[in-house]
């Protein structure tokens, strides 16, 4: 029989209400509270062998400490799956399920299944990381929500074929997998069918949903260019020859920061592009066509700008997911802000 | 901290939320032109960077594409 660990907050863990929300994490053997229902529903595939309980405020305010304590406790036991909640519409509880679930998944490489109401703020934060099932707004939905989670967990533990998020009932993780749709119709047939529906104003479902673009707040303009420090950032894969940081040529997850303070331009032979999405010959012949350091130096000498930030930043933008791109962008922006950079020229290929 | 994006694929830059956009020359060489001499390319590059700097100096209310004069 497979082993499941269940996470509950202090309330569902039957310790107490708001007055107990500061309790530190604890590991119990067996199931607690709604864990009994989960235990029953998981049978005969799995059993709830342990329950982790933590106060919502404790994990909310001392998140790292709480997670580390739980991970240390979990090191002492064996388990195959981690199930958190249901957390319904409870915000702190949902965030606890998400943060802890993500940490458990990373440390122990086991599937993590949670359940929350779609309005729970943790859904937006963790839906891409975990399987979060769409649940009710409060504990009245307990039976229904626990059953959904248990059914899916059982199938996952038995390595059954899993269906797309919308069919299974969890929030989209933003992952695309190639699969046959079971109809035996080719892509061309399905595309024509979709097009006809569209032309007839009938409802249809795309097979390739695109991420909804986020609106980015507009930053105020630079006031005086002759006093500004400008940084050069690029997704065109320009790196020192040999690619010291091993940035991937496609689907990049890394970015690099390279000193150019003493350089008047990016010389061919010393710099190259490792971008795998276009013919690199032009950029390798003259890397300034992607990162225009030479033009910027001239403008700097002509006092048309204050100074050039001593480092350039680089990654590869092909096959890179929006989530990874957003993370790297945030990290680079933080570094630039720490250095008091006034503005950025971003070049993309 | 304003950012100006020099991009060949202007529509993609706009879709992913870039607010200040300057069109670039081509995908493999956004700030060059393989049909021109090195000197001509450098002056073209400088011209586009100056448009980008102008974009950084411009107060905008919505995502804006700054055209480059030929």
């Amino acid at each position: 029989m497979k082993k499941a660990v269940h996470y509950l907050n202090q309330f569902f863990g039957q310790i107490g209400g708001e007055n107990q929300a500061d309790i530190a994490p604890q590991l119990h053997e067996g199931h607690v509270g709604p864990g009994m229902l989960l235990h029953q529903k998981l049978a005969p595939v799995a059993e709830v062998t342990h329950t982790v309980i933590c106060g919502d405020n404790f994990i909310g305010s001392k998140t790292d400490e709480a997670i580390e304590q739980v991970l240390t406790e979990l090191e002492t036991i064996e388990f195959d799956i981690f199930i958190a909640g249901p957390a319904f519409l409870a915000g702190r509880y949902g965030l606890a399920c998400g943060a802890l679930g993500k940490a458990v998944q990373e440390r122990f490489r086991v599937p993590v299944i949670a359940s929350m109401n779609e309005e729970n703020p943790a859904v937006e934060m963790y839906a891409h990381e975990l399987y979060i099932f769409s649940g009710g707004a409060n504990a009245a939905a307990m039976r229904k929500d626990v059953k959904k989670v248990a059914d899916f967990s059982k199938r996952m533990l038995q390595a059954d074929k899993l269906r797309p998020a919308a069919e299974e009932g969890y929030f989209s993780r933003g992952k695309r997998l190639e699969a046959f749709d079971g109809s035996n119709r080719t892509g061309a047939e399905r595309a024509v069918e979709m097009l006809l529906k569209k032309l007839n104003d009938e409802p249809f479902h795309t097979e390739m949903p695109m991420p909804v673009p986020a609106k980015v707040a507009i930053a105020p303009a630079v006031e005086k260019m002759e006093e500004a420090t400008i940084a050069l950032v690029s997704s065109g894969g320009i790196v020192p020859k040999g690619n010291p940081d091993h940035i991937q040529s496609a689907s990049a997850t890394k970015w690099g920061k390279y000193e150019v303070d003493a350089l008047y331009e990016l010389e061919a032979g010393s710099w190259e592009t490792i971008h795998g999405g276009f013919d690199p010959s032009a950029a390798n012949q003259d890397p300034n066509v992607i990162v225009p350091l030479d033009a910027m130096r001239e403008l700097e000498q002509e006092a048309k700008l204050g100074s050039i930030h001593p480092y350039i930043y680089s990654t590869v933008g092909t096959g890179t997911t929006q989530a990874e791109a957003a993370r790297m962008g945030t990290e680079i922006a933080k570094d630039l802000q720490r250095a008091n950079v006034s503005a950025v020229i971003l070049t993309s290929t | 901290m304003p950012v100006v994006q020099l991009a060949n694929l202007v529509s993609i830059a706009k879709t992913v939320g870039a607010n200040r956009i300057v069109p670039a020359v081509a995908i493999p060489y956004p700030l060059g032109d393989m049909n021109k001499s090195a000197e001509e390319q450098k002056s073209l590059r400088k011209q586009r960077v100056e448009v980008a700097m102008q974009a950084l100096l411009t107060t905008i209310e919505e995502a804006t594409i700054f055209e480059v004069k030929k």
Side-chain angles (χ1 to χ4, degrees):
Chain A
M1 184 123 58
K2 300 281 190 183
K3 297 181 172 73
V5 173
H6 190 202
Y7 177 75
L8 295 168
N9 71 355
Q10 81 285 347
F11 178 74
F12 289 102
Q14 317 224 307
I15 292 176
E18 202 54 39
N19 59 336
Q20 295 293 327
D22 289 311
I23 61 149
Q26 37 186 270
L27 182 69
H28 294 263
E29 276 189 33
H31 53 75
V32 176
M36 181 193 272
L37 182 64
L38 179 64
H39 185 75
Q40 289 166 355
K41 298 282 180 200
L42 285 173
V45 177
E47 57 182 338
V48 177
T49 59
H50 293 84
T51 305
V52 176
I53 302 170
C54 185
D56 282 337
N57 286 350
F58 188 93
I59 194 166
S61 53
K62 299 175 196 161
T63 311
D64 293 344
E65 184 186 335
I67 288 174
E68 208 38 57
Q69 278 187 36
V70 174
L71 295 181
T72 305
E73 292 265 21
L74 291 178
E75 293 280 4
T76 64
I77 62 169
E78 281 181 15
F79 59 106
D80 304 293
I81 195 165
F82 187 87
I83 296 170
F88 311 109
L89 199 45
R92 285 173 305 172
Y93 189 15
L95 292 173
C97 291
L100 185 58
K102 185 176 175 227
V104 167
Q105 183 167 274
E106 281 167 9
R107 175 77 64 94
F108 299 101
R109 301 278 160 201
V110 296
V112 173
I113 322 287
S115 168
M116 297 174 203
N117 184 264
E118 61 180 339
E119 295 291 318
N120 195 312
V123 170
E124 203 180 311
M125 291 173 67
Y126 292 103
H128 279 210
E129 321 266 358
L130 311 170
Y131 292 100
I132 303 180
F133 276 77
S134 174
N138 55 52
M142 184 67 85
R143 292 199 80 81
K144 218 173 103 200
D145 291 355
V146 167
K147 184 175 183 307
K148 277 202 259 183
V149 165
D151 287 348
F152 182 77
S153 300
K154 281 195 283 192
R155 293 186 30 239
M156 174 159 263
L157 288 168
Q158 291 173 305
D160 277 3
K161 195 167 177 233
L162 303 177
R163 293 164 299 169
E167 289 173 36
E168 292 285 0
Y170 60 86
F171 295 103
S172 170
R173 295 182 304 151
K175 301 218 184 324
R176 287 180 188 147
L177 300 172
E178 281 186 291
F180 290 103
D181 77 341
S183 70
N184 282 328
R185 287 169 309 144
T186 65
E189 289 172 287
R190 301 199 305 275
V192 169
E193 197 170 282
M194 215 182 282
L195 179 62
L196 290 174
K197 282 186 177 169
K198 185 171 185 175
L199 290 171
N200 289 325
D201 283 329
E202 288 168 22
F204 65 94
H205 291 285
T206 174
E207 292 181 12
M208 195 156 168
M210 298 303 286
V212 182
K215 278 241 169 192
V216 178
I218 292 174
V222 172
E223 282 179 25
K224 289 181 180 155
M225 192 54 80
E226 55 280 11
E227 290 172 15
T229 303
I230 309 292
L232 290 169
V233 180
S234 181
S235 62
I238 295 288
V239 294
K241 183 90 177 163
N243 189 14
D245 293 318
H246 309 290
I247 297 173
Q248 302 93 329
S249 289
S251 306
T253 58
K254 295 182 217 169
W255 54 272
K257 173 180 175 182
Y258 306 108
E259 191 168 353
V260 293
D261 211 18
L263 304 182
Y264 194 75
E265 62 178 336
L266 300 182
E267 274 183 43
S270 304
W271 299 78
E272 62 178 341
T273 179
I274 45 104
H275 195 296
F278 57 80
D279 176 356
S281 54
N284 288 341
Q285 212 177 308
D286 182 2
N288 300 281
V289 301
I290 292 182
V291 176
L293 184 65
D294 61 350
M296 293 283 288
R297 286 285 178 225
E298 282 198 9
L299 293 164
E300 189 183 31
Q301 285 193 339
E302 292 164 15
K304 289 190 176 158
L305 58 88
S307 65
I308 300 167
H309 183 54
Y311 298 89
I312 62 164
Y313 296 72
S314 185
T315 186
V316 164
T318 185
T320 309
T321 63
Q322 273 196 38
E324 284 294 334
R327 174 187 57 78
M328 291 192 278
T330 307
E331 289 170 0
I332 293 171
K334 277 188 188 149
D335 202 67
L336 294 170
Q337 279 174 332
R338 270 196 296 271
N340 283 322
V341 164
S342 330
V344 176
I345 293 182
L346 169 66
T347 51
S348 53
T349 48
Chain B
M1 186 173 63
V3 177
V4 57
Q5 185 172 5
L6 277 150
N8 187 245
L9 301 170
V10 168
S11 59
I12 292 184
K14 204 166 174 202
T15 307
V16 297
N19 287 322
R20 291 177 169 87
I21 303 166
V22 174
V25 178
I27 292 173
Y29 37 90
L31 294 167
D33 187 340
M34 289 306 103
N35 303 315
K36 292 190 167 133
S37 72
E39 274 313 301
E40 285 173 317
Q41 288 194 57
K42 194 169 175 181
S43 90
L44 166 158
R45 180 148 62 243
K46 202 170 152 188
Q47 185 204 1
R48 300 254 168 175
V49 170
E50 288 196 81
V51 177
M53 286 176 13
Q54 198 52 50
L56 291 171
L57 285 164
T58 308
T59 298
I60 54 170
E61 302 295 329
E62 57 180 2
T64 306
I65 297 161
F66 294 83
E67 291 303 332
V68 180
K69 289 193 190 83
K70 299 282 174 192

